[in-house]
Structures are given as structure tokens and as C-alpha cells.
Amino acid sequence: MTVLIAYGSRRGGTAGLAEMIGAELVAQGLPADVLPADTVTSVDDYQAVVLAGSLYINRWHPDARKFARRLSEGLRTRPVWLVSSGPLDDSAATSVLPPVPQVARVSRNVGARGCVTFGGRLTPDARGFVAHSMAKTRAGDWRDPAQVKAFATEVADVLRPSRAGAES
Ligand SMILES: Cc1cc2nc3c(=O)[nH]c(=O)nc-3n(C[C@H](O)[C@H](O)[C@H](O)COP(=O)(O)O)c2cc1C
């Protein structure tokens, strides 16, 4: 069965991260669908879910939060990982960052297997008053392909035995 990577993203950085996770899972032999969280109405067709959301002022993207609330029943009965993105510096690559309180709460509610925070991205042409002025000094891309690969490998390692079990 397929792994769902659902994401909430304001400026595309987390969407790109979700695509990277999906591509890595596929490369490791696990079929994956990557979809905006607000378009998903059920997780019934999925073996497992990775739910990703960008962080703004220490809050998880509303589409990720609403997804977790709306589909909590389905999430409680399958493996789930929660992804946040992320700091505009190398802190996510050099240390293990704890989830923000909202993500920690979702994690407890759905019994997530893990929470991970990846570095973020802010483009120099970011729109919006605050983002635009932040971009003058903090634009850059801290999403780390090696860290994404390590995370996807962890997910694939958990899911492969159950897939084998389901097929035998
Ligand atoms: C106004 C603003 C507030 C932000 N607040 C946080 C924050 O609280 N924690 C954090 O880790 N990153 C924060 N960031 C960085 C974003 O999470 C990062 O740019 C992320 O990759 C954005 O994802 P998106 O492109 O999917 O929207 C902030 C960025 C902006 C522009």
C-alpha cells in the first residue's frame, strides 16, 4: 500500500520538502502520494501518513492542524510521522529540535511514531510585509537532502516488514 505525504505550506518550501520525502520513499521501494493536506478527505487507502507543515511564529500550518483534527480517527490506526519546517539557520541540521507545542499535542493525540523538524526556506522575493523584510537578511534554503534521506530511510525501515507481512 501507499504512503501519504500530506502538507500545509504557505510559500512552497514545505511542499518541496514533502516532494523530496515522497521521492525518497519511492526510491526506497515504497509507493507514495504527495498531496496538499486540505485536499485529502480520507486516509483509508494509505498504509501510513507523513504530515508536514511549515512553522510560522511557532505555530504549525493550519492545513496540517486541520488535517490532524479532521482525520484523527484514521491517523490513530496507522503509523504517522509529523514533520515541521523550519528554522532559517542550521539549527535543524546540527541538533534535534523538539516539536512546537501544537505538534507535540497532535503527536500525543494520534500516537505518532515520530516528530522531526527540518530546516526551512525563505526566498529573497518572499511576499508579505514581515516575510519580505525578514528575507532581506535571512533568505536562504536550509532544507537538507541528507537529513530528508535519513528520515525517509527510518520510515521505510518501519513500513517494509508490515508490507511484507500484508503481502504474504
Ligand atoms: C513571518 C515568518 C515567521 C516564521 N516563524 C518561524 C518559526 O516560528 N519557527 C521556525 O522554525 N521557522 C519560522 N519561519 C520560517 C519558515 O517556517 C520557513 O520559511 C518555512 O520553510 C516556510 O515554509 P513554506 O514555504 O512551506 O511556507 C518563519 C518565517 C516567516 C516568514
Side-chain angles (χ1 to χ4, degrees):
M1 261 172 103
T2 305
V3 181
L4 172 67
I5 299 104
Y7 64 85
S9 175
R10 197 183 295 178
R11 296 188 169 83
T14 310
L17 202 50
E19 292 289 351
M20 287 161 70
I21 294 168
E24 191 54 44
L25 287 175
V26 168
Q28 300 204 23
L30 292 173
D33 283 350
V34 181
L35 293 170
D38 64 347
T39 67
V40 180
T41 54
S42 165
V43 293
D44 288 354
D45 292 339
Y46 295 103
Q47 175 194 13
V49 177
V50 175
L51 178 57
S54 48
L55 294 173
Y56 284 93
I57 331 246
N58 249 18
R59 293 169 67 80
W60 215 27
H61 194 288
D63 290 352
R65 278 187 275 141
K66 286 181 200 160
F67 178 104
R69 206 175 314 134
R70 199 171 66 244
L71 301 173
S72 59
E73 213 172 298
L75 294 175
R76 284 193 196 107
T77 54
R78 49 184 45 73
V80 173
W81 286 263
L82 306 178
V83 170
S84 302
S85 162
L88 299 172
D89 56 31
D90 66 1
S91 57
T94 56
S95 57
V96 176
L97 298 175
V100 299
Q102 281 179 341
V103 176
R105 213 156 32 237
V106 170
S107 176
R108 283 193 299 275
N109 187 33
V110 303
R113 299 290 180 106
C115 299
V116 63
T117 301
F118 292 117
R121 181 195 72 170
L122 187 64
T123 57
D125 60 351
R127 296 172 76 120
F129 181 74
V130 181
H132 184 69
S133 55
M134 266 174 79
K136 286 179 189 154
T137 53
R138 302 183 61 190
D141 192 349
W142 284 269
R143 297 170 302 170
D144 178 358
Q147 202 185 0
V148 171
K149 186 172 184 167
F151 168 71
T153 302
E154 200 182 301
V155 171
D157 286 349
V158 170
L159 297 180
R160 250 187 235 105
S162 67
R163 194 174 60 140
E167 284 171 358
S168 63

